[in-house]
Amino acid sequence: MLQTSHHSRDPLVHQLLNRHCENKSDQSLKLGFNGSTFMIPPRSAFLISDISTFSFQLESTQFGLVVADPPWPNLSASRSNSYDTMDPYHLFKIPLQSHLAEGAVVVVWITHKPKYRAFVIEKLFSAWGLEFVAEWCWIKTTTKGEPMFDDSLKNRKSYELLLIGRRRYRDVQRQQEVVPIPKLKFFASVPSTNHSQKPFLDSLLAPYLPKDSAKLELFARIVRSDWVCWGNECLKFNEVCFLEER
Protein backbone atom coordinates (compact mmCIF):
# COMPACT_ATOMS: atom_id res chain seq x y z
CA MET A 1 0.00 0.00 0.00
CA LEU A 2 1.26 3.45 -0.89
CA GLN A 3 1.10 5.60 2.23
CA THR A 4 0.77 9.40 2.18
CA SER A 5 1.15 11.89 4.98
CA HIS A 6 -2.27 13.46 4.23
CA HIS A 7 -5.69 12.07 3.41
CA SER A 8 -7.76 13.41 0.54
CA ARG A 9 -10.75 12.46 -1.61
CA ASP A 10 -9.33 14.32 -4.58
CA PRO A 11 -8.26 12.43 -7.71
CA LEU A 12 -5.04 10.50 -7.26
CA VAL A 13 -2.82 13.02 -9.04
CA HIS A 14 -3.89 15.68 -6.53
CA GLN A 15 -3.33 13.29 -3.64
CA LEU A 16 0.31 12.89 -4.65
CA LEU A 17 1.12 16.55 -5.25
CA ASN A 18 2.81 18.18 -2.23
CA ARG A 19 2.39 15.01 -0.15
CA HIS A 20 5.03 12.70 1.20
CA CYS A 21 4.43 9.23 -0.26
CA GLU A 22 6.09 6.00 0.80
CA ASN A 23 6.13 2.35 -0.24
CA LYS A 24 7.28 0.56 2.92
CA SER A 25 6.75 -2.89 1.47
CA ASP A 26 9.30 -5.18 -0.19
CA GLN A 27 7.23 -5.30 -3.37
CA SER A 28 6.90 -2.85 -6.24
CA LEU A 29 3.55 -1.10 -6.52
CA LYS A 30 1.76 -0.25 -9.75
CA LEU A 31 0.19 3.18 -9.76
CA GLY A 32 -2.11 4.47 -12.48
CA PHE A 33 -3.41 7.95 -13.12
CA ASN A 34 -4.06 10.29 -16.04
CA GLY A 35 -3.89 7.31 -18.40
CA SER A 36 -0.32 6.42 -17.41
CA THR A 37 1.09 3.60 -15.29
CA PHE A 38 4.02 4.02 -12.90
CA MET A 39 6.03 1.47 -10.93
CA ILE A 40 6.86 2.50 -7.36
CA PRO A 41 9.86 0.48 -6.15
CA PRO A 42 9.99 -1.17 -2.71
CA ARG A 43 11.31 0.72 0.32
CA SER A 44 11.10 4.08 -1.41
CA ALA A 45 9.66 7.48 -0.60
CA PHE A 46 9.03 10.59 -2.65
CA LEU A 47 7.59 14.08 -2.68
CA ILE A 48 6.31 15.69 -5.87
CA SER A 49 6.43 19.47 -5.49
CA ASP A 50 8.24 22.57 -6.65
CA ILE A 51 10.94 24.16 -4.52
CA SER A 52 8.55 26.67 -2.95
CA THR A 53 6.75 23.84 -1.11
CA PHE A 54 9.78 21.65 -0.37
CA SER A 55 9.69 20.08 3.08
CA PHE A 56 11.05 17.12 5.00
CA GLN A 57 8.49 14.62 6.23
CA LEU A 58 10.23 14.27 9.59
CA GLU A 59 12.24 17.10 11.12
CA SER A 60 14.51 14.50 12.72
CA THR A 61 15.52 12.90 9.41
CA GLN A 62 19.30 12.76 8.92
CA PHE A 63 20.80 11.82 5.55
CA GLY A 64 24.25 10.38 4.96
CA LEU A 65 24.15 10.80 1.19
CA VAL A 66 22.49 13.52 -0.85
CA VAL A 67 22.67 13.76 -4.64
CA ALA A 68 21.38 16.87 -6.45
CA ASP A 69 21.10 17.56 -10.16
CA PRO A 70 19.76 21.13 -10.24
CA PRO A 71 18.19 22.47 -13.44
CA TRP A 72 20.86 25.12 -13.97
CA PRO A 73 20.02 27.95 -16.40
CA ASN A 74 20.93 26.52 -19.78
CA LEU A 75 20.53 27.98 -23.25
CA SER A 76 20.07 24.56 -24.85
CA ALA A 77 17.31 23.59 -22.42
CA SER A 78 15.57 26.92 -22.96
CA ARG A 79 15.65 26.53 -26.73
CA SER A 80 14.43 22.92 -26.71
CA ASN A 81 11.98 23.43 -23.82
CA SER A 82 13.11 19.99 -22.60
CA TYR A 83 12.92 20.98 -18.94
CA ASP A 84 12.38 24.05 -16.75
CA THR A 85 15.47 25.78 -15.40
CA MET A 86 15.82 27.53 -12.05
CA ASP A 87 17.57 30.48 -10.45
CA PRO A 88 20.50 28.90 -8.55
CA TYR A 89 19.79 31.05 -5.49
CA HIS A 90 16.55 29.14 -4.97
CA LEU A 91 18.72 26.26 -3.73
CA PHE A 92 19.12 28.15 -0.47
CA LYS A 93 15.43 27.45 0.19
CA ILE A 94 16.30 23.81 0.87
CA PRO A 95 17.12 23.57 4.62
CA LEU A 96 19.63 20.79 4.08
CA GLN A 97 22.15 21.65 6.77
CA SER A 98 19.87 20.57 9.63
CA HIS A 99 19.16 17.24 7.93
CA LEU A 100 22.69 16.01 7.32
CA ALA A 101 24.27 13.31 9.45
CA GLU A 102 27.82 13.81 10.64
CA GLY A 103 30.17 12.66 7.89
CA ALA A 104 27.44 13.09 5.27
CA VAL A 105 28.43 13.26 1.62
CA VAL A 106 26.64 15.69 -0.73
CA VAL A 107 27.03 15.47 -4.51
CA VAL A 108 26.00 18.29 -6.84
CA TRP A 109 26.07 17.90 -10.62
CA ILE A 110 27.08 21.09 -12.43
CA THR A 111 27.28 22.33 -16.00
CA HIS A 112 30.53 23.33 -17.70
CA LYS A 113 30.13 27.00 -16.77
CA PRO A 114 32.82 28.06 -14.25
CA LYS A 115 30.39 30.39 -12.45
CA TYR A 116 28.24 27.47 -11.29
CA ARG A 117 31.28 25.60 -10.02
CA ALA A 118 32.26 28.67 -8.01
CA PHE A 119 28.68 29.13 -6.78
CA VAL A 120 28.50 25.61 -5.37
CA ILE A 121 31.95 25.59 -3.77
CA GLU A 122 31.97 29.13 -2.38
CA LYS A 123 28.32 29.69 -1.49
CA LEU A 124 26.09 26.62 -1.53
CA PHE A 125 28.39 24.20 0.29
CA SER A 126 29.09 26.87 2.88
CA ALA A 127 25.36 27.47 3.44
CA TRP A 128 24.81 23.73 3.90
CA GLY A 129 27.69 23.37 6.37
CA LEU A 130 29.91 21.38 4.01
CA GLU A 131 33.59 21.25 3.18
CA PHE A 132 34.43 20.95 -0.53
CA VAL A 133 36.49 17.76 -0.89
CA ALA A 134 36.38 16.49 -4.47
CA GLU A 135 35.56 17.07 -8.12
CA TRP A 136 34.75 13.98 -10.21
CA CYS A 137 34.25 13.62 -13.95
CA TRP A 138 31.79 11.33 -15.72
CA ILE A 139 33.03 10.35 -19.19
CA LYS A 140 30.16 9.58 -21.56
CA THR A 141 30.99 6.87 -24.08
CA THR A 142 29.34 4.93 -26.87
CA THR A 143 28.77 1.19 -26.55
CA LYS A 144 32.16 0.81 -28.30
CA GLY A 145 33.93 2.78 -25.60
CA GLU A 146 34.47 5.87 -27.72
CA PRO A 147 33.67 9.47 -26.65
CA MET A 148 30.05 10.42 -27.27
CA PHE A 149 30.85 13.66 -29.11
CA ASP A 150 33.59 15.19 -31.19
CA ASP A 151 35.92 17.41 -29.15
CA SER A 152 35.43 20.27 -31.59
CA LEU A 153 31.73 20.70 -30.72
CA LYS A 154 31.24 23.78 -28.57
CA ASN A 155 27.94 22.93 -26.87
CA ARG A 156 28.28 19.14 -26.76
CA LYS A 157 30.78 17.60 -24.36
CA SER A 158 31.58 13.96 -23.71
CA TYR A 159 31.88 14.56 -19.98
CA GLU A 160 29.98 16.04 -17.05
CA LEU A 161 31.25 17.26 -13.71
CA LEU A 162 30.11 16.74 -10.16
CA LEU A 163 31.27 18.42 -6.97
CA ILE A 164 31.41 16.64 -3.62
CA GLY A 165 31.03 18.25 -0.22
CA ARG A 166 31.33 16.54 3.15
CA ARG A 167 30.16 17.34 6.63
CA ARG A 168 32.82 17.03 9.28
CA TYR A 169 32.45 14.98 12.46
CA ARG A 170 32.47 16.99 15.64
CA ASP A 171 34.57 14.34 17.35
CA VAL A 172 38.23 14.86 16.33
CA GLN A 173 39.11 11.16 16.62
CA ARG A 174 36.15 10.14 14.45
CA GLN A 175 37.05 12.74 11.84
CA GLN A 176 40.58 11.39 11.64
CA GLU A 177 39.22 7.90 10.91
CA VAL A 178 37.17 9.03 7.91
CA VAL A 179 38.07 7.37 4.60
CA PRO A 180 39.22 10.24 2.36
CA ILE A 181 37.32 10.79 -0.89
CA PRO A 182 39.64 10.99 -3.94
CA LYS A 183 39.97 14.65 -4.89
CA LEU A 184 39.80 13.82 -8.58
CA LYS A 185 38.23 10.73 -10.13
CA PHE A 186 37.21 9.77 -13.66
CA PHE A 187 34.56 7.15 -14.36
CA ALA A 188 32.93 6.17 -17.64
CA SER A 189 29.63 4.71 -18.77
CA VAL A 190 27.18 4.71 -21.66
CA PRO A 191 24.52 7.39 -21.00
CA SER A 192 20.87 6.49 -20.62
CA THR A 193 18.65 7.15 -23.62
CA ASN A 194 16.44 9.15 -21.24
CA HIS A 195 17.28 12.85 -21.56
CA SER A 196 19.49 14.27 -18.80
CA GLN A 197 19.43 11.10 -16.64
CA LYS A 198 22.68 10.78 -14.70
CA PRO A 199 24.40 7.50 -13.77
CA PHE A 200 23.68 6.05 -10.34
CA LEU A 201 26.58 6.68 -7.96
CA ASP A 202 25.74 4.29 -5.12
CA SER A 203 28.60 1.83 -5.61
CA LEU A 204 31.21 4.55 -6.26
CA LEU A 205 30.35 6.46 -3.09
CA ALA A 206 29.60 3.53 -0.75
CA PRO A 207 33.12 3.33 0.80
CA TYR A 208 32.93 6.95 1.97
CA LEU A 209 29.49 7.07 3.58
CA PRO A 210 28.50 6.90 7.25
CA LYS A 211 27.20 3.49 8.27
CA ASP A 212 23.55 2.76 7.35
CA SER A 213 23.16 6.10 5.60
CA ALA A 214 19.71 7.35 4.62
CA LYS A 215 19.82 8.65 1.03
CA LEU A 216 18.13 11.65 -0.56
CA GLU A 217 17.99 12.73 -4.20
CA LEU A 218 17.05 16.32 -5.01
CA PHE A 219 15.55 17.18 -8.40
CA ALA A 220 15.07 13.46 -8.98
CA ARG A 221 13.43 12.17 -12.14
CA ILE A 222 13.16 8.56 -11.01
CA VAL A 223 12.21 7.06 -7.64
CA ARG A 224 14.51 4.22 -6.51
CA SER A 225 14.55 1.63 -3.73
CA ASP A 226 16.11 2.77 -0.44
CA TRP A 227 16.04 6.43 -1.48
CA VAL A 228 13.92 9.44 -0.59
CA CYS A 229 13.33 11.39 -3.80
CA TRP A 230 12.10 14.92 -4.33
CA GLY A 231 11.31 16.94 -7.45
CA ASN A 232 8.47 18.19 -9.61
CA GLU A 233 9.15 15.29 -12.03
CA CYS A 234 10.42 12.64 -9.62
CA LEU A 235 8.17 9.91 -11.08
CA LYS A 236 8.98 10.74 -14.71
CA PHE A 237 11.15 7.70 -15.48
CA ASN A 238 9.09 5.37 -13.27
CA GLU A 239 6.47 5.34 -16.01
CA VAL A 240 6.25 1.83 -17.43
CA CYS A 241 7.13 2.94 -20.96
CA PHE A 242 10.60 4.00 -19.73
CA LEU A 243 11.20 0.72 -17.87
CA GLU A 244 10.55 -1.65 -20.76
CA GLU A 245 13.45 -3.15 -22.68
CA ARG A 246 14.13 -1.43 -25.99
Side-chain angles (χ1 to χ4, degrees), residues 13-31:
V13 63
H14 298 298
Q15 290 184 25
L16 297 182
L17 189 64
N18 297 327
R19 283 159 168 76
H20 293 274
C21 303
E22 186 171 9
N23 177 9
K24 293 184 177 181
S25 75
D26 290 323
Q27 303 292 326
S28 293
L29 298 178
K30 187 177 290 187
L31 187 66

Side-chain angles (χ1 to χ4, degrees), residues 124-222:
L124 188 62
F125 279 172
S126 177
W128 286 347
L130 301 168
E131 178 183 1
F132 169 58
V133 295
E135 182 170 5
W136 288 9
C137 181
W138 169 39
I139 308 297
K140 297 185 280 189
T141 71
T142 66
T143 54
K144 295 182 179 180
E146 300 171 346
M148 280 289 293
F149 306 109
D150 190 290
D151 289 341
S152 64
L153 295 176
K154 182 179 180 180
N155 295 320
R156 289 280 191 171
K157 303 295 183 183
S158 293
Y159 67 92
E160 293 199 39
L161 302 172
L162 59 87
L163 304 176
I164 302 177
R166 202 175 206 175
R167 184 169 190 176
R168 296 180 65 87
Y169 285 91
R170 285 172 289 185
D171 182 81
V172 176
Q173 181 64 34
R174 183 71 187 87
Q175 179 63 30
Q176 291 175 344
E177 296 171 353
V178 166
V179 178
I181 298 174
K183 292 182 179 180
L184 183 63
K185 187 182 185 74
F186 295 88
F187 60 99
S189 68
V190 178
S192 168
T193 56
N194 299 330
H195 179 74
S196 194
Q197 187 172 357
K198 301 298 193 294
F200 300 146
L201 303 172
D202 307 51
S203 60
L204 289 175
L205 294 170
Y208 315 111
L209 303 180
K211 186 178 179 180
D212 301 322
S213 291
K215 294 176 285 191
L216 168 68
E217 182 169 5
L218 302 172
F219 306 98
R221 303 180 89 189
I222 186 170

Side-chain angles (χ1 to χ4, degrees), residues 35 47 50 56 76 113 115 127 143 228 241:
L47 169 65
D50 64 29
F56 288 97
S76 176
K113 288 189 175 183
K115 68 178 181 179
T143 54
V228 175
C241 64

Side-chain angles (χ1 to χ4, degrees), residues 17-18 20 47-56 93 230:
L17 189 64
N18 297 327
H20 293 274
L47 169 65
I48 301 175
S49 78
D50 64 29
I51 203 164
S52 65
T53 55
F54 176 90
S55 66
F56 288 97
K93 295 180 180 180
W230 167 80

